[in-house]
Amino acid sequence: MTLKWIGAILIVTGCGGFGFSMASAYRAEERALEALCRALEYMSCELSCRMTPLPQLCRNASGLLTGKIKTVFLLLAQELEQQVAPDAVSCMRAVQASVNLPDSVQDVLTQLGNSLGSFDLSGQLRGIESCLKNAQSKLRYLSDHRQNRLRSYQTLGLCAGAALAILFL
């Protein structure tokens, strides 16, 4: 009988942990989009005022960030400096393949890669502005639904664990 209760507690804990990890991933996606918005705002200002070259621009933007987005911009700066790939789009694809990011962040970075280095200054600024608006709209959506989603993930994890425990007892 004691082993059944221990098993039930472990099942509830495991499923609850899974729900809490999903909530944590949701928060991480929100933080990544916030960091990406900061980087895009910085890049827009730097390009319009100083016309900084792309590798240096990415390196400077990474200095303002933390986490995976910092890694993305550092790797992008290295790829652009070494000119392994012929254009920013190919460099961005190579960087995205090496860093595990949420889909919403990947979409914005793909859009950014398509606009960097492909157009003149005004075209790049418009591309960065478009990426920034896209990232801000995704961030706004995540923020608006944060409380409901986090609570739902956590509750579903615990309830699924309780249901499995009841079935196994």
Side-chain angles (χ1 to χ4, degrees), residues 6-167:
I6 291 173
I9 290 170
L10 289 175
I11 289 172
V12 171
T13 304
C15 289
F18 182 72
F20 280 89
S21 72
M22 287 179 61
S24 175
Y26 192 87
R27 286 188 202 105
E29 182 176 3
E30 203 170 5
R31 284 192 302 271
L33 280 171
E34 287 171 352
L36 186 56
C37 287
R38 281 195 309 273
L40 292 172
E41 288 169 353
Y42 173 79
M43 292 173 78
S44 178
C45 290
E46 275 290 310
L47 274 179
S48 62
C49 296
R50 294 187 188 173
M51 293 192 293
T52 308
L54 282 180
Q56 185 63 35
L57 180 66
C58 293
R59 190 171 303 287
N60 292 348
S62 72
L64 303 172
L65 305 170
T66 59
K68 291 182 179 182
I69 299 297
K70 177 179 183 147
T71 306
V72 166
F73 280 100
L74 276 176
L75 291 174
L76 183 60
Q78 290 173 356
E79 289 277 330
L80 289 170
E81 284 173 348
Q82 295 170 357
Q83 294 183 347
V84 175
D87 57 355
V89 177
S90 304
C91 291
M92 185 62 84
R93 284 188 191 129
V95 167
Q96 284 178 314
S98 64
V99 180
N100 184 19
L101 292 167
D103 290 338
S104 60
V105 177
Q106 294 255 5
D107 294 341
V108 175
L109 286 175
T110 301
Q111 183 182 1
L112 178 65
N114 289 333
S115 64
L116 285 180
S118 301
F119 303 105
D120 60 347
L121 179 62
S122 63
Q124 287 186 29
L125 288 173
R126 281 193 306 263
I128 290 174
E129 251 339 281
S130 174
C131 292
L132 181 60
K133 286 180 183 177
N134 189 6
Q136 286 173 338
S137 71
K138 290 178 186 222
L139 181 61
R140 196 171 19 260
Y141 177 81
L142 289 176
S143 310
D144 291 344
H145 296 91
R146 177 188 320 131
Q147 288 301 81
N148 292 337
R149 293 274 173 115
L150 295 180
R151 198 171 328 126
S152 295
Y153 291 149
Q154 294 165 352
T155 304
L156 283 173
L158 290 172
C159 289
L164 282 173
I166 289 170
L167 284 175

